[in-house]
Amino acid sequence: MTAGSGVLLVLLSLSGALRAHNGDLTARETCKAGFSEEDYTALISQNILEGEKVLKVKFSSCLGTKGTHYETNSMDFKVGADGTVFATRELRIPSEQVAFTVTAWDHQTAERWDAAVRLLVAQTSSTHSGHKKGKKNAALDPVQLPNDTLLPWPQRQSSNGLRRQKRDWVIPPINVPENSRGPFPQQLVRIRSDKDNDIPIRYSITGVGADQPPMEVFSIDSMSGRMYVTRPMDREERASYHLRAHAVDMNGNKVENPIDLYIYVIDMNDNRPEFLNQVYNGSVDEGSKPGTYVMTVTANDADDATTANGMVRYRIVTQTPQSPSQNMFTINSETGDIVTVAAGLDREKVQQYMVIIQATDMEGNLNYGLSNTATAIITVTDVNDNPPEFTTSTYAGEVPENRVEMVVANLTVMDRDQPHSPNWNAVYRIISGDPSGHFSVRTDPTTNEGMVTVVKAVDYELNRAFMLTVMVSNQAPLASGIQMSFQSTAGVTISVMDINEAPYFPSNHKLIRLEEGVPTGTVLTTFSAVDPDRFMQQAVRYSKLSDPANWLHINATNGQISTAAVLDRESLYIKNNVYEATFLAADNGIPPASGTGTLQIYLIDINDNAPELLPKEAQVCEKPSLNAINITAADADVDPNIGPYVFELPFVPASVRNNWTVTRLNGDYAQLSLRVLHLEAGVYDVPITVTDSGNPPLSHTSIIKVKVCPCDDNGDCTTVGAVAAAGLGTGAIVAILICIVMLLTMVLLFVVWMKRREKERHTKQLLIDPEDDVRDNILKYDEEGGGEEDQDYDLSQLQQPEAMEHVLSKAPGVRRVDERPVGAEPQYPVRPVVPHPGDIGDFINEGLRAADNDPTAPPYDSLLVFDYEGSGSTAGSVSSLDSSSSGDQDYDYLNDWGPRFKKLADMYGGGEED
């Protein structure tokens, strides 16, 4: 080593708390399997002989070295069973160092551990034997170190003395037990440099737990190098810490390289196993063999899983119910797998088991370990181990013939499997007795009963009874080894009831062919029906149900059909040459039954319709060279009783053939044209005879009205020519125009007369004298009072004062009766300026209703106040009116004023009659 170089020593010391724990912990609790060092370093010579030992590694498996094997990844070095590393052949090392890895593995647990080995080649001729880290050759260091002092930097002897090597040693991990009770701070290790004898050294630590969160878990005395833990540790919170120790002089200059400190928290058994769920649900099929997997329960322990503190073991505490055995299940103590251990699981006896599972750490040691429990609910699932069985061996039912979708019998079964499951749901099948498929057995989804249903009508005359054999099974197949029961089949007897069936027509629809026009009473065919009730003596009667043209007659006894009128193919009742009629056949059973049949008559055409000329009207120019008329014929018959047609002009009158000619175009068309060079304009009736091709042929003479008119250059009739052709002369046209003018004049005079009459009606004078017309003397005032002649008293004392202060100042409840009450006044209706006579009554009625509901309306005093109307009124005083009807005035005209004045007319007009 060069002069002035130092050695950093780490003094390992265990605190009092750690020593106390060592006294309590077992070897298994404190042991940690692995190599004693992570890196091993040794000095070797450049030339090595075969079998030469270079160093020895130490490995602890906590169970002894038995069963531990060593391997290396180098072909030149191997490791013996005791951990000695030796050369496999003679070697010469060309480089300064050799590095390889030593692996230890346990063949029982298959775990593997690795350690690095570095062999440094000495540069002098002297040969040094290898040494293991943690040991010191006395020749290398004149100072004898304590046994627990580690030399961080390996050294070797050279011609210049001791020299520091390039690689530092690794400090062994420091183990600290969790949950220590102190006292704190508690010393862990002491770090010291051999230079502290020469110069003052200051020590410090860095890393997580020192100057990084969590802060100040560990501290160090900067002068002495003693490192402390300041509080209890929790392995579940943090299992290890990595710190770096530094040594500097008083000026902060680095004296030694930083060394790594690994601190491991020793686990204590302070956590119970915790199940992932408090209740586990599993299932197993009934009848399962022993060893059938059911479910897995899992419990986790927060303690170290590599130690007994975190090794959980499972066991079954109780089983409910204990039937058919108290140990129906077992659990794998390490994996938590629950399996069946006994046979006899039967859902029909026990549907569910409740198993209490206990998880204990310390490898299941109930004396030292912590425990927890959970519940496993095991449901025994149903398998189809019970075939369905009929409750009785025979069933009976009856069905009327010709009925379908009718349930005739209910088949009851018993199945002990789980209801409404595929193992319970019944499936019925008819295996014999119904070759034609008249019946089907359907399953009632609620009761699981079989409903024998008629799906195809049965006939009493063919089958009076059925003997069915029905088998029942499940939707799911039977479990392996389960056989069908003999009670899974049953017999069903079904009796068929005879009912009155309707007669039917064997040939329906029946088609016959004949020529139209056969005479009345001709027998066409016999349309008879058959009564299916062979065992009933019944008579069948026939009648018509539908005969649109009323052409047919049917014999009520034997169904013989004859004509009641002549059949015409060209009738509107014929569609596609077919006439259709419907007949009814009814028996005399109880109740009566009837059936219908349709008769179709195909009518063959005969030549019974003469052709008709088309068109009926035409127009042609007066000069024959300009145009002609195309004519054809229409025949109600069909081929061969229609065209080709023959068109001819009759010989009488002779003027027809003189003026006109017919030219054949083809079998259906011909042309009518003028024979003369010029024919006077007008309308001509031209007879033409048309003959068809029937056998015998029929002919018909038709009239075609032809308008002959002068034409323009395009061959179209001119307007004047059209009028002339219509047969109207100039005089007729003038007469028509005069009539139109006279009609318009009469309409105008009538309108003028109506307007004048309306004006006269508005200006007509009254029939009575204006002075006697009371309507002109009715004046409108806001308020009406008596005349001035009636006002011979002073009204000033009765007027309402202008100011209201004296009214408002009165005591409550005291009021003058001649004062108008103070309050909101209602709105009276406003009389229209120009009222309609019908509105007067409505106006009076509305005012009366408003006055009745007005609290401020009179009489609030016995004396009413009227406005002054002025002097010199021509109306005179109303005080002189006499209510007697004995005067000379005639009031009979009041009866003409309508119902509103009826009361007044009765008072004044009918006095003398009374």
Side-chain angles (χ1 to χ4, degrees), residues 602-729:
Y602 185 89
L603 295 178
I604 301 173
D605 184 47
I606 63 174
N607 192 18
D608 57 346
N609 293 278
E612 291 287 339
L613 182 67
L614 293 177
K616 297 297 184 181
E617 295 181 355
Q619 183 176 281
V620 68
C621 293
E622 58 184 3
K623 295 181 179 182
S625 59
L626 293 179
N627 52 17
I629 301 171
N630 291 329
I631 58 176
T632 185
D635 197 326
D637 294 323
V638 295
D639 191 63
N641 298 319
I642 53 176
Y645 301 104
V646 177
F647 300 91
E648 294 178 322
L649 293 173
F651 293 94
V652 178
S655 60
V656 175
R657 285 182 170 264
N658 295 333
N659 296 333
W660 305 92
T661 181
V662 174
T663 305
R664 179 183 178 88
L665 296 179
N666 52 37
D668 295 331
Y669 289 91
Q671 277 190 345
L672 176 64
S673 60
L674 289 174
R675 179 184 293 272
V676 296
L677 297 178
H678 177 78
L679 187 63
E680 184 179 355
V683 178
Y684 297 86
D685 292 336
V686 180
I688 300 178
T689 301
V690 184
T691 305
D692 59 21
S693 299
N695 185 18
L698 295 180
S699 62
H700 181 260
T701 301
S702 301
I703 302 298
I704 179 172
K705 290 183 176 295
V706 180
K707 294 180 181 180
V708 179
C709 61
C711 298
D712 55 15
D713 296 337
N714 296 325
D716 299 328
C717 284
T718 60
T719 304
V720 178
V723 174
L728 295 179

Side-chain angles (χ1 to χ4, degrees), residues 373-633:
T373 60
T375 302
I377 299 177
I378 302 174
T379 302
V380 181
T381 57
D382 184 48
V383 298
N384 195 11
D385 58 345
N386 294 283
E389 297 177 348
F390 286 103
T391 57
T392 182
S393 59
T394 59
Y395 297 87
E398 60 180 7
V399 56
E401 61 176 338
N402 300 323
R403 292 282 298 275
V404 294
E405 297 301 326
M406 177 181 177
V407 178
V408 297
N410 289 332
L411 312 182
T412 56
V413 295
M414 180 183 63
D415 195 321
R416 292 186 296 273
D417 290 321
Q418 184 175 356
H420 304 289
S421 68
N423 299 329
W424 179 82
N425 295 335
V427 178
Y428 299 89
R429 183 166 57 93
I430 299 175
I431 58 178
S432 65
D434 186 22
S436 300
H438 291 282
F439 302 94
S440 174
V441 184
R442 301 170 181 171
T443 304
D444 188 318
T446 303
T447 63
N448 213 29
E449 294 181 352
M451 300 179 294
V452 182
T453 307
V454 182
V455 295
K456 182 180 178 181
V458 296
D459 191 349
Y460 176 83
E461 285 71 29
L462 297 179
N463 300 98
R464 299 188 181 185
F466 292 87
M467 299 293 295
L468 307 180
T469 302
V470 181
M471 184 177 68
V472 63
S473 59
N474 294 122
Q475 289 181 352
L478 291 174
S480 177
I482 305 299
Q483 301 294 328
M484 290 291 294
S485 171
F486 70 93
Q487 295 180 349
S488 296
T489 58
V492 182
T493 302
I494 301 176
S495 301
V496 181
M497 297 185 299
D498 189 18
I499 62 172
N500 185 26
E501 299 177 77
Y504 67 94
F505 291 89
S507 55
N508 192 15
H509 300 16
K510 184 176 182 179
L511 178 65
I512 61 175
R513 300 171 63 92
L514 71 150
E515 290 185 349
E516 63 174 330
V518 294
T520 302
T522 302
V523 177
L524 302 182
T525 184
T526 299
F527 197 25
S528 59
V530 177
D531 192 347
D533 297 316
R534 294 179 298 172
F535 302 99
M536 298 180 183
Q537 300 299 325
Q538 298 179 150
V540 178
R541 303 286 294 181
Y542 301 92
S543 61
K544 288 194 302 182
L545 188 63
S546 173
D547 184 10
N550 201 22
W551 285 346
L552 302 177
H553 171 76
I554 187 169
N555 188 301
T557 304
N558 56 19
Q560 188 179 71
I561 297 176
S562 59
T563 60
V566 177
L567 279 61
D568 186 5
R569 192 199 65 83
E570 290 75 31
S571 172
L572 297 177
Y573 300 104
I574 301 298
K575 295 182 180 179
N576 298 325
N577 302 327
V578 175
Y579 180 74
E580 190 170 277
T582 305
F583 298 93
L584 183 70
D587 60 20
N588 58 352
I590 301 176
S594 61
T596 61
T598 301
L599 177 65
Q600 293 179 332
I601 304 175
Y602 185 89
L603 295 178
I604 301 173
D605 184 47
I606 63 174
N607 192 18
D608 57 346
N609 293 278
E612 291 287 339
L613 182 67
L614 293 177
K616 297 297 184 181
E617 295 181 355
Q619 183 176 281
V620 68
C621 293
E622 58 184 3
K623 295 181 179 182
S625 59
L626 293 179
N627 52 17
I629 301 171
N630 291 329
I631 58 176
T632 185

Side-chain angles (χ1 to χ4, degrees), residues 885-899:
S885 60
S886 60
D888 298 331
Q889 181 67 35
D890 184 10
Y891 297 100
D892 291 339
Y893 61 87
L894 293 176
N895 293 320
D896 300 332
W897 286 12

